[in-house]
Amino acid sequence: MIDLYTAPTPNGYKVSIALEEMQLPYTVHTVDLRAGEQKKPAFLRISPNGRIPAIVDRDEGDFAVFESGAILLYLAEKCGRFLPADRRGRSLVIQWLMFQMGGIGPMMGQANVWYRYWNETYQPAIDRYQNEVKRLFGVLDSHLKGRQFLTNELSIADIANWAWVRIYDWSGIDIKPFPHLQRWVERLNERPAFHRGINQPAAEYEQEDKATSFVKGARNMLTK
Ligand SMILES: N[C@@H](CCC(=O)N[C@@H](CS)C(=O)NCC(=O)O)C(=O)O
């Protein structure tokens, strides 16, 4: 059994989607980010960086893993799926996983903050991060032309990138100029496991009436 410490955010959803696709039994523990639970000593013992997601594998002597990319690799190795065994296939998946961890995630995260969370508008920062997100989307779009997945088969790289790219509008980005990427987002959206994953726990920001209070909470958290 896996204990998943998470919150309704793209980094958290990467892990719940993976657990659903892998059909590994898990228990969700929602960490209240606005209340600062992620910085409490008990949580820091599991996740030294004070951020979600983190897992504890009860079948492996309570082994804890933090950093979403590391968690995806751990789970893929545990279940023997979504990460090929051959060196080249494995490297390709890891390349696109790192592309998400070092590019899509941090840049979309910054675009979200500057575009949506501050009361004030600082246009140069909005432009910088939105332009970088568009550039990264262009890379994904070209790569996905004629492909169903980022590599030969569905992998943890698709899961990681999809969890972020799907909320492009939170970064103020239009996906229409990226038709191959848009089709990939829509195709993966049809997978029942992906749907279950993005409801563990359910996201407030996807419900129109709750989105405003989510933004306010996020802004307060960032200014603490
Ligand atoms: N590189 C980390 C990033 C984790 C991260 O930024 N988590 C955010 C939620 S998406 C968080 O816990 N924020 C709370 C905080 O910064 O205090 C990963 O991929 O796991």
Side-chain angles (χ1 to χ4, degrees):
M1 173 67 82
I2 303 274
D3 278 318
L4 167 62
Y5 297 85
T6 191
T9 76
N11 286 323
Y13 289 145
K14 287 182 211 170
V15 181
S16 39
I17 295 166
L19 286 162
E20 290 289 342
E21 280 288 350
M22 293 167 182
Q23 297 178 337
L24 291 170
Y26 68 105
T27 305
V28 174
H29 305 273
T30 305
V31 177
D32 187 343
L33 300 181
R34 288 178 241 180
E37 280 178 10
Q38 71 279 21
K39 305 290 188 243
K40 300 254 166 74
F43 186 69
L44 292 175
R45 279 196 285 278
I46 299 169
S47 180
N49 195 26
R51 293 192 164 195
I52 65 93
I55 60 164
V56 177
D57 189 345
R58 301 294 173 198
D59 305 327
E60 286 289 338
D62 294 349
F63 185 66
V65 190
F66 76 107
E67 278 294 327
S68 58
I71 298 170
L72 292 178
L73 287 165
Y74 178 85
L75 293 175
E77 282 174 358
K78 184 179 171 81
C79 77
R81 294 174 63 202
F82 306 110
L83 178 65
D86 69 287
R87 190 178 301 144
R88 287 181 185 206
R90 193 179 183 82
S91 171
L92 286 170
V93 169
I94 293 173
Q95 288 170 49
W96 287 107
L97 176 63
M98 295 302 156
F99 174 86
Q100 185 284 310
M101 292 297 293
I104 290 285
M107 293 303 119
M108 285 188 77
Q110 290 301 316
N112 290 353
V113 167
W114 288 98
Y115 173 72
R116 199 172 279 274
Y117 293 167
W118 297 143
N119 280 327
E120 306 79 19
T121 302
Y122 184 57
Q123 200 57 45
I126 296 175
D127 291 344
R128 172 172 161 73
Y129 291 112
Q130 285 188 336
N131 287 340
E132 180 59 2
V133 172
K134 284 183 208 159
R135 191 190 68 76
L136 294 167
F137 276 18
V139 174
L140 285 172
D141 190 59
S142 306
H143 180 71
L144 283 165
K145 188 175 175 193
R147 284 192 170 89
Q148 242 196 315
F149 304 112
L150 287 169
T151 57
N152 281 350
E153 291 173 356
L154 179 69
S155 76
I156 52 174
D158 293 289
I159 293 172
N161 282 279
W162 185 85
W164 274 97
V165 174
R166 66 183 276 271
I167 57 157
Y168 53 85
D169 60 325
W170 269 75
S171 306
I173 306 289
D174 183 8
I175 197 148
K176 285 193 210 74
F178 309 100
H180 310 294
L181 182 60
Q182 184 176 17
R183 273 197 288 280
W184 170 87
V185 169
E186 288 166 0
R187 243 191 336 268
L188 293 181
N189 198 37
E190 282 162 17
R191 296 182 73 91
F194 276 53
H195 262 272
R196 289 195 299 275
I198 56 169
N199 279 295
Q200 297 293 344
E204 288 177 16
Y205 54 77
E206 292 189 2
Q207 299 161 33
E208 205 49 55
D209 53 330
K210 289 192 181 164
T212 312
S213 90
F214 179 87
V215 167
K216 217 166 133 215
R219 191 184 300 135
N220 288 343
M221 200 185 84
L222 289 164
T223 49
K224 264 186 196 151

